[in-house]
Amino acid sequence: MGPVTATSPTPGFSIREATIDDVDDLLRLVRELAAYEREPESATATPEHFREALFPSDGSPAAYAHVAEGDGRVVGMAIWFVSFSTWTGRHGIWLEDLFVEPEQRGRGIGKAFLVRLAQLCLERGWTRFEWWVLDWNTPSIEFYRSQGAVAQEEWTTFRVDGDALERLARS
């Protein structure tokens, strides 16, 4: 996958696969996203965590990342992993995080990320491209809907972490 040059009204950025040299920028953007989502204390990943997950010395990555470069630096990221649908028997992409620096929004970077990941799905014969968005994040919800995404409102997300995860594992 080579860089994708945007066809936005204000070109001047590219989307490319992240490299190990992008880890610090990815972490910076994850922390900015956590602050935007009102949970800055929850972003506890370290550079080592990201290097292990995205660029392991042994085996396949657990996750993948693309970055947007503009103005000579990384200004956005999309972190994703391969999902699987038992109904279709095919893989897909689960978009874990998509973030573009606030001052870079409106240039088409978010759409360029979605386009590139949709292209990956089709190139690989995968059937789904999914993600979640916080209920209060109206600008993102409107943006995703404008791209043809449909909310799966009949589903409820569950999570077990922290002490609850430890209790469950011990039971």
Side-chain angles (χ1 to χ4, degrees):
M1 293 175 274
V4 174
T5 303
T7 56
S8 71
T10 53
F13 67 88
S14 62
I15 304 293
R16 64 170 173 79
E17 290 182 39
T19 68
I20 198 162
D21 293 332
D22 296 315
V23 165
D24 288 340
D25 283 316
L26 290 168
L27 281 168
R28 172 181 56 81
L29 293 168
V30 165
R31 289 185 180 109
E32 287 183 42
L33 173 61
Y36 173 76
E37 292 184 351
R38 307 172 189 159
E39 289 196 52
E41 69 285 347
S42 296
T44 61
T46 67
E48 294 75 30
H49 292 141
F50 269 53
R51 281 192 285 276
E52 266 179 42
L54 299 169
F55 311 103
S57 55
D58 288 349
S60 298
Y64 303 88
H66 283 71
V67 295
E69 285 186 320
D71 304 324
R73 61 188 192 81
V74 173
V75 298
M77 63 159 192
I79 298 177
W80 59 277
F81 55 89
V82 177
S83 62
F84 180 76
S85 167
T86 57
W87 288 19
T88 67
R90 308 294 288 278
H91 290 296
I93 287 179
W94 182 269
L95 177 59
E96 181 65 19
D97 282 327
L98 173 66
F99 184 77
V100 176
E101 292 177 341
E103 61 274 10
Q104 299 293 327
R105 293 178 189 158
R107 297 178 63 190
I109 296 171
K111 181 173 182 174
F113 277 128
L114 294 181
V115 166
R116 183 61 195 127
L117 296 179
Q119 289 170 343
L120 277 176
C121 280
L122 294 179
E123 289 166 9
R124 297 176 183 187
W126 296 349
T127 57
R128 292 184 179 177
F129 177 22
E130 301 174 294
W131 60 91
W132 56 39
V133 60
L134 290 166
D135 290 340
W136 57 260
N137 193 345
T138 305
S140 292
I141 292 168
E142 290 173 2
F143 168 68
Y144 295 139
R145 284 189 172 138
S146 77
Q147 302 307 308
V150 177
Q152 303 294 298
E153 294 173 359
E154 67 274 13
W155 293 89
T156 300
T157 302
F158 286 88
R159 177 184 294 163
V160 178
D161 62 4
D163 292 340
L165 179 62
E166 291 183 29
R167 282 192 304 278
L168 180 59
R170 286 192 305 263
S171 63

